[in-house]
Amino acid sequence: MAASVVAAAERLRRAIRRSPPWRSPSHRPLSTRASAVRDAFLSFFRDRHGHRLVPSASVRPRGDPSLLFVNAGMNQFKPIFLGTVDPRSEMAGFRRVANSQKCEEACCMAWELLTQVYGIPEDRLWVSFFGGDPKAGLEPDLESRDIWLSLGVPASRVLSFGPQENFWEMGDTGPCGPCTEIHYDLAGGVGAPQLVELWNLVFMQHNREADGSLQPLPQRHVDTGMGLERLVAVLQGRRSTYDTDLFSPLLNAIHQGCRAPPYLGRVGVADEGRIDTAYRVVADHIRTLSVCIADGVSPGMSGAPLVLRRILRRAVRFCTEVLQAPPGFLGSLVPVVVETLGDAYPELQKNSAQIASLVSEDEEAFLASLQRGRRIIDRTLKHLGPSDMFPAEVAWSLSLSGNLGLPLDLVELMLEEKGVQLDTAGLERLAQEEAQHRAQQAGPAQEQALRLDVHALGELRRQGVRPTDDSPKYNYSLGPSGGYEFGTCEAQVLQLYTEDGTAVASIGEGQRGGLLLDRTNFYAEQGGQASDRGYLVRVEQQDVLFPVARAQVCGGFILHEVVAPECLQVGDQVQLHVDEAWRLGCMEKHTERGSHLSPERLRFDVASQAPLTPEQLRTVEGIVQEAVQQDKAVYVEEVALALTAQVPGLRSLDEVYPDPVRVVSVGVPVAHALDPTSQASLQTSVELCCGTHLLRTGTLGDLVIIGERQLAKGTTRLLAITGEQARQWVERSCPGVSVSLTALTLGSPPHRPERWARVWHRKGMAQEVEAATERLSRGSRDVVEAQRLSKDIGRLTDLALLGGYGVFCRAVDTAVMPQWQRRELQATLKGLQRRANTAIRKVEMGQAAKKTQELLERHAKGPLIVDTVSAESLSVLVKVVRQLCEQAPSTSVFLLSPQPVGNVLCACQVAQGATSTFTAQAWALAVCSHMGGKAWGSRVMAQGTGSTTDLEAALSAARAYALSQL
């Protein structure tokens, strides 16, 4: 084996020497500018080795939950490695491809490009190879070692390493394999070598399974690539990538826009004040933000968007706190990123304005949160004793997990600057409670769907099994009566699988398994549309039904999940029947721009910089109803994928589309919609979609938007229902919502008001809101009545909030309504709540003023007032204390208010001229502890509660403590 490898390598080496030196098409000396280096890489593989150039993939992995972001150029080719690529797609035809990826064949190609094209001296290059892993049963990669030696690399510069260094994996699971790397010696032979990796060639031959084991891939591939930034640094003679023309324009822009000294490239302890670190962080982060937002990933609250949100806020911190940059500075760097990277990644140029706007808005929001956070911290610290830890609950509310979105490490830093320790144990407890809450919200785990893994797919291809013909899924039509008629499909059982994926010849009674057929009329879940369900029967025995729970597509093969009531065998002839009501429910929702749909509901995401207004929501419903009334034809046609590229307004999602691709157009023939000179595609819905659609819009029926929320900046998610479900929902939804336009100050009725007339006349929530409005207008005689009214309005607000995304919860019938109606009702209730709170404050202030005068008349002018007073709430008691101190600034006041069942309220304030040792918090604590209660507050003002039947003893304790401090 070794001899044959050496011989093959020698033939490659001789072939390279015989071939003329490769030149770039311009025949000029190669420039070391980053753009020229990138172009030379791509041209080398395309022109000399016949590779196909493909665009860089989005940094958001397509359909791969194992990764938050793309971490290598080969990620987009993972379906090829795993054998799951759609055989009809363009990707299925790839053999040799190359790209310049944001984040391939043999060793001789890499060596030729580095030494002959880029002109890197051979004596500056070292190589490493995989030395094996006995624990995993992996042999050393002696083949790579021998090839390098045969290419002339001295044995002293061919190094062997273990799996930590020379076994590449993209994630916890998936394609992987040994790798060989090329390194550059920065020292140039002077002293000890200083090696940096330039190139990595990965031999994709294994698949890391979920249990950690390695299984051979049915097809092996070579993934070869290198880091552009490191290569440019070498060619430009720089020791750091930040000193190259990929970063220098950004660093210069940062210096010009900040009050910081110029960038000097210092690191570690030499970087005093972390100035240069801040330069690097901001430059790196704004590139990351720009590329991610251009690829559709915006800062958000979970997953990849949450990572991006943290990156943005870290960049803002370094801008403002270290570089002393003005507000809005981060967004001003976006044009520099576009100028540097826009030629290679045109999506940056296309979306530059949106990127800058989104970054600036998030920066502004974070700075505002930072200011609010500082105020909350300062206010909280006033209530703490010298040795108290900062409350975990407050820190949690400030954090990314709470309300303001401040990183916890920033909260800790702000507290550290003030010499205060954070209650980390309490934080851990809150984090555990949050995790438990999320787990409960997630509900029971769904049954795992059966799938064909990479090994099963490889075996099917070795056996010559053709992908499933699923064209019968489109065999449906409108019957004479206006209803849809769905055809059946006869097929042959090609293969059966058990639940663990084992191929078997038959499955028995009661057994759950996977069924592979030569053809099917079932729609397999993809493109956002839920899978069909239904049943199948054997042709020769049609009285036994085999329920089909779902269908999944895997590499062009469609696997049907069945539960067998009796034996089913390979070779059986079967007849398939889809669940017509289920399919129609999907069809009604798929003639919309649906991000995800099932018979129960339609979810779609729209680009919107702010939440949609009630009027916009009504308009959407109205546009749909207009299309329904017009009963437009829905045209479907398969066309060459290339014809769809330049169609104005055509929305193509980040998916791999088959070629030819299926185009769906509402009301306009596909050929007319795809005409680049036509504006038809801008005036109707034209989509690339393999889903099952209605044939005419008239059968859609009603559409009701029942929920809305903002996923991230610039993206709003809407939830809707359609058809008969929407009609029934409207009729049953609002026995409790009658719209009194006068009382509720709601807007005009929606489109097609006759559709809603039967709903809104009924009495319910709106009448309660009208009654609350009348009660507010009459005013409240006391605090209890005002508080009761405020609680009633709060209850109505809670009911109005139900539904939407919680529309399927237990309380759905209490407040089910269209989202536009809910939003207007919420706005009305919010105004009422403000009025109710104002009414409470007004009553409390009036009561406090009256009691203040009574106390002033009862007590002669002096340094101390300690007494009892009747107060309906702690809020009233505090107002009495404050008014007393305002009218008698040199008097310290301590008041107790007895409540039912022996409870006692306490409030106190120390005079302006009191000694520094006399604090209100200590005063309240001394007395409330005497009553077995608790107290809280600041040095000046405090309050508390306790329980006692001996008020005189408590008052005596208050006087004694005050006299000891005066």
Side-chain angles (χ1 to χ4, degrees):
M1 175 65 182
S4 63
V5 169
V6 173
E10 180 61 27
R11 288 195 298 272
L12 286 171
R13 185 169 56 85
R14 288 197 302 267
I16 291 174
R17 287 177 175 173
R18 283 198 304 269
S19 60
W22 183 84
R23 302 288 184 188
S24 64
S26 65
H27 300 291
R28 293 193 298 268
L30 179 66
S31 168
T32 61
R33 289 182 59 84
S35 57
V37 173
R38 182 192 292 111
D39 290 343
F41 174 89
L42 298 175
S43 299
F44 173 79
F45 283 101
R46 178 191 60 205
D47 300 340
R48 188 172 182 83
H49 294 288
H51 284 67
R52 177 177 183 171
L53 300 188
V54 298
S56 165
S58 167
V59 296
R60 176 180 55 189
R62 178 191 293 129
D64 187 354
S66 66
L67 294 172
L68 285 178
F69 293 99
V70 162
N71 62 359
M74 56 74 60
N75 286 159
Q76 63 176 305
F77 307 118
K78 184 176 177 181
I80 297 179
F81 304 149
L82 293 176
T84 59
V85 63
D86 187 334
R88 301 169 300 167
S89 69
E90 181 184 33
M91 184 183 290
F94 289 172
R95 291 298 177 265
R96 290 185 174 189
V97 295
N99 70 0
S100 173
Q101 175 65 30
K102 314 173 192 113
C103 42
E104 261 162 64
E105 158 179 34
C107 303
C108 61
M109 290 184 183
W111 195 256
E112 179 186 8
L113 180 59
L114 290 178
T115 59
Q116 294 190 23
V117 178
Y118 292 132
I120 298 175
E122 293 185 8
D123 60 3
R124 299 287 289 267
L125 298 177
W126 295 56
V127 297
S128 63
F129 68 94
F130 180 56
D133 183 6
K135 293 182 179 178
L138 298 175
E139 297 292 328
D141 182 14
L142 301 181
E143 182 178 355
S144 293
R145 180 201 64 181
D146 294 342
I147 289 176
W148 291 122
L149 293 174
S150 68
L151 288 173
V153 184
S156 59
R157 298 208 304 271
V158 180
L159 309 178
S160 169
F161 291 102
Q164 194 71 24
E165 296 82 10
N166 279 82
F167 192 91
W168 193 89
E169 305 188 55
M170 79 169 71
D172 294 335
T173 60
C176 56
C179 62
T180 182
E181 300 170 343
I182 304 176
H183 304 261
Y184 179 80
D185 182 9
L186 294 173
V190 180
Q194 301 176 31
L195 302 181
V196 294
E197 178 192 331
L198 275 188
W199 200 307
N200 188 10
L201 299 97
V202 183
F203 306 109
M204 291 292 179
Q205 57 195 64
H206 302 286
N207 190 65
R208 179 74 71 180
E209 305 292 332
D211 61 3
S213 64
L214 291 173
Q215 297 295 332
L217 286 170
Q219 298 183 34
R220 299 186 177 189
H221 305 263
V222 178
D223 170 50
T224 172
M226 60 180 161
L228 173 67
E229 294 163 359
R230 289 186 185 179
L231 177 62
V232 171
V234 167
L235 296 179
Q236 294 182 359
R238 308 293 185 182
R239 297 185 70 87
S240 168
T241 59
Y242 292 97
D243 297 329
T244 68
D245 64 342
L246 284 168
F247 280 94
S248 55
L250 264 175
L251 298 176
N252 292 335
I254 293 172
H255 174 57
Q256 293 172 8
C258 298
R259 295 191 293 272
Y263 178 73
L264 298 177
R266 297 167 299 185
V267 296
V269 294
D271 184 17
E272 187 175 350
R274 304 183 72 196
I275 298 294
D276 290 344
T277 298
Y279 269 98
R280 291 188 289 268
V281 167
V282 173
D284 181 81
H285 285 12
I286 190 58
R287 281 171 35 124
T288 300
L289 288 162
S290 298
V291 169
C292 288
I293 294 170
D295 279 346
V297 184
S298 300
M301 294 303 294
S302 63
L306 177 59
V307 174
L308 207 61
R309 188 184 190 211
R310 287 172 170 162
I311 288 174
L312 187 146
R313 297 192 165 204
R314 185 169 186 256
V316 173
R317 286 175 55 196
F318 273 96
C319 277
T320 57
E321 297 174 9
V322 180
L323 297 176
Q324 302 298 306
F329 174 70
L330 193 62
S332 72
L333 297 176
V334 171
V336 185
V337 177
V338 174
E339 184 179 352
T340 306
L341 300 177
D343 289 341
Y345 309 115
E347 58 269 24
L348 284 169
Q349 296 175 335
K350 180 181 178 181
N351 300 296
S352 59
Q354 177 193 359
I355 297 167
S357 173
L358 201 154
V359 169
S360 297
E361 288 178 11
D362 267 57
E363 178 183 3
E364 181 181 1
F366 176 60
L367 291 175
S369 295
L370 204 57
Q371 280 191 329
R372 288 181 57 200
R374 289 194 177 104
R375 289 197 298 267
I376 291 172
I377 288 175
D378 290 342
R379 189 163 62 243
T380 304
L381 292 178
K382 290 179 181 179
H383 299 164
L384 297 181
S387 59
D388 290 346
M389 289 193 296
F390 194 83
E393 291 77 9
V394 179
W396 185 264
S397 71
L398 297 175
S399 73
L400 284 167
S401 303
N403 300 323
L404 290 188
L406 304 181
L408 273 174
D409 62 340
L410 175 58
V411 176
E412 289 190 79
L413 179 64
M414 295 164 70
L415 293 174
E416 184 180 320
E417 292 170 352
K418 296 179 179 292
V420 179
Q421 185 179 359
L422 177 60
D423 179 9
T424 53
L427 271 180
E428 291 178 5
R429 173 181 51 80
L430 290 173
Q432 291 175 356
E433 291 175 357
E434 174 72 9
Q436 292 172 357
H437 175 71
R438 288 175 183 259
Q440 293 170 354
Q441 290 292 319
Q446 293 186 347
E447 187 177 44
Q448 185 68 32
L450 301 180
R451 299 195 68 85
L452 296 176
D453 63 18
V454 58
H455 312 296
L457 291 170
E459 182 61 27
L460 287 171
R461 292 192 174 96
R462 278 192 293 272
Q463 294 175 6
V465 179
R466 296 177 62 83
T468 310
D469 173 14
D470 64 346
S471 58
K473 67 188 178 187
Y474 300 126
N475 292 344
Y476 55 90
S477 60
L478 275 170
S481 63
Y484 279 85
E485 297 176 352
F486 298 89
T488 59
C489 173
E490 290 195 3
Q492 182 181 18
V493 178
L494 300 181
Q495 187 62 67
L496 292 161
Y497 297 89
T498 61
E499 289 190 71
D500 63 3
T502 303
V504 292
S506 65
I507 56 175
E509 180 180 349
Q511 191 173 357
R512 175 174 174 254
L515 174 67
L516 189 64
L517 306 169
D518 60 344
R519 61 201 307 265
T520 183
N521 59 347
F522 274 66
Y523 184 87
E525 182 172 355
Q526 57 186 315
Q529 179 174 337
S531 160
D532 273 338
R533 66 185 189 186
Y535 66 93
L536 60 87
V537 296
R538 283 184 298 225
V539 172
E540 70 277 6
Q541 188 182 5
Q542 299 205 6
D543 58 340
V544 179
L545 274 59
F546 293 75
V548 179
R550 63 174 66 91
Q552 301 284 334
V553 61
C554 308
F557 298 97
I558 294 180
L559 190 67
H560 304 72
E561 185 178 313
V562 301
V563 177
E566 59 180 50
C567 182
L568 190 65
Q569 302 180 53
V570 170
D572 283 349
Q573 295 291 324
V574 296
Q575 188 178 77
L576 296 99
H577 301 256
V578 299
D579 182 328
E580 296 182 3
W582 178 274
R583 165 72 77 85
L584 185 57
C586 289
M587 289 167 57
E588 289 169 347
K589 295 167 183 63
H590 218 328
T591 311
E592 305 289 330
R593 293 191 171 196
S595 303
H596 186 271
L597 59 96
S598 68
E600 287 86 7
R601 63 181 185 176
L602 162 67
R603 186 191 78 202
F604 58 106
D605 301 339
V606 296
S608 172
Q609 293 303 311
L612 299 181
T613 65
E615 181 58 36
Q616 288 172 324
L617 292 169
R618 287 204 301 266
T619 299
V620 172
E621 290 187 3
I623 291 172
V624 173
Q625 289 303 322
E626 184 178 348
V628 170
Q629 288 179 344
Q630 294 175 357
D631 193 24
K632 295 180 178 180
V634 178
Y635 297 92
V636 179
E637 188 176 329
E638 285 195 345
V639 302
L641 184 61
L643 293 178
T644 68
Q646 303 301 322
V647 178
L650 181 64
R651 185 186 66 160
S652 60
L653 301 178
D654 185 27
E655 295 181 2
V656 176
Y657 290 97
D659 193 3
V661 66
R662 196 164 182 263
V663 179
V664 181
S665 175
V666 177
V668 177
V670 172
H672 183 46
L674 295 186
D675 184 352
T677 64
S678 168
Q679 297 296 305
S681 61
L682 296 174
Q683 299 164 2
T684 188
S685 175
V686 182
E687 308 289 334
L688 306 182
C689 186
C690 65
T692 55
H693 291 253
L694 295 174
L695 301 179
R696 302 197 68 87
T697 61
T699 50
L700 172 63
D702 282 332
L703 176 136
V704 181
I705 298 173
I706 58 174
E708 171 214 16
R709 66 186 175 99
Q710 204 164 11
L711 286 184
K713 201 70 176 178
T715 304
T716 297
R717 172 163 290 176
L718 300 179
L719 187 70
I721 54 178
T722 60
E724 178 65 16
Q725 182 189 19
R727 187 187 64 79
Q728 293 179 357
W729 195 88
V730 168
E731 289 184 346
R732 72 172 175 81
S733 64
C734 301
V737 181
S738 67
V739 175
S740 169
L741 296 180
T742 302
L744 296 183
T745 64
L746 298 179
S748 58
H751 295 267
R752 291 183 65 195
E754 73 281 357
R755 180 168 66 114
W756 305 88
R758 61 185 179 274
V759 174
W760 303 138
H761 76 280
R762 300 176 185 174
K763 297 180 180 180
M765 182 189 294
Q767 285 192 336
E768 291 194 46
V769 175
E770 186 176 0
T773 305
E774 186 178 346
R775 287 164 63 190
L776 274 172
S777 301
R778 289 200 306 265
S780 302
R781 295 184 298 275
D782 54 39
V783 173
V784 173
E785 182 181 344
Q787 289 178 336
R788 186 182 299 117
L789 175 57
S790 178
K791 288 180 180 179
D792 288 344
I793 295 173
R795 177 180 58 82
L796 292 173
T797 302
D798 290 341
L799 291 178
L801 288 170
L802 290 173
Y805 274 86
V807 74
F808 300 108
C809 66
R810 287 194 309 271
V812 62
D813 290 328
T814 58
V816 177
M817 63 185 72
Q819 184 66 9
W820 68 264
Q821 174 73 25
R822 187 184 318 283
R823 289 275 302 280
E824 290 190 333
L825 186 57
Q826 288 168 355
T828 299
L829 289 168
K830 187 176 181 180
L832 292 178
Q833 190 71 68
R834 283 196 299 266
R835 289 177 58 190
N837 293 340
T838 300
I840 292 174
R841 287 193 297 272
K842 183 177 179 180
V843 172
E844 288 182 345
M845 291 297 290
Q847 290 186 353
K850 180 179 179 181
K851 296 180 185 301
T852 297
Q853 291 305 314
E854 293 174 355
L855 288 167
L856 287 173
E857 293 171 2
R858 198 157 63 229
H859 291 270
K861 187 176 181 181
L864 191 65
I865 294 178
V866 176
D867 207 340
T868 63
V869 67
S870 173
E872 295 175 340
S873 68
L874 189 56
S875 177
V876 173
L877 189 63
V878 168
K879 287 179 172 63
V880 174
V881 170
R882 283 178 174 163
Q883 289 186 21
L884 280 170
C885 291
E886 286 173 1
Q887 298 191 38
S890 59
T891 302
S892 296
V893 178
F894 190 104
L895 297 180
L896 295 177
S897 178
Q899 303 293 305
V901 203
N903 294 330
V904 178
L905 304 178
C906 161
C908 63
Q909 183 172 333
V910 297
Q912 294 178 359
T915 62
S916 59
T917 58
F918 187 19
T919 69
Q921 185 180 22
W923 194 8
L925 185 61
V927 179
C928 290
S929 298
H930 177 81
M931 297 188 295
K934 58 182 181 180
W936 58 94
S938 65
R939 191 190 70 81
V940 177
M941 180 79 194
Q943 50 196 293
T945 60
S947 180
T948 183
T949 55
D950 192 352
L951 284 176
E952 283 303 322
L955 293 172
S956 298
R959 292 189 190 94
Y961 182 89
L963 292 173
S964 70
Q965 301 294 321
L966 290 174

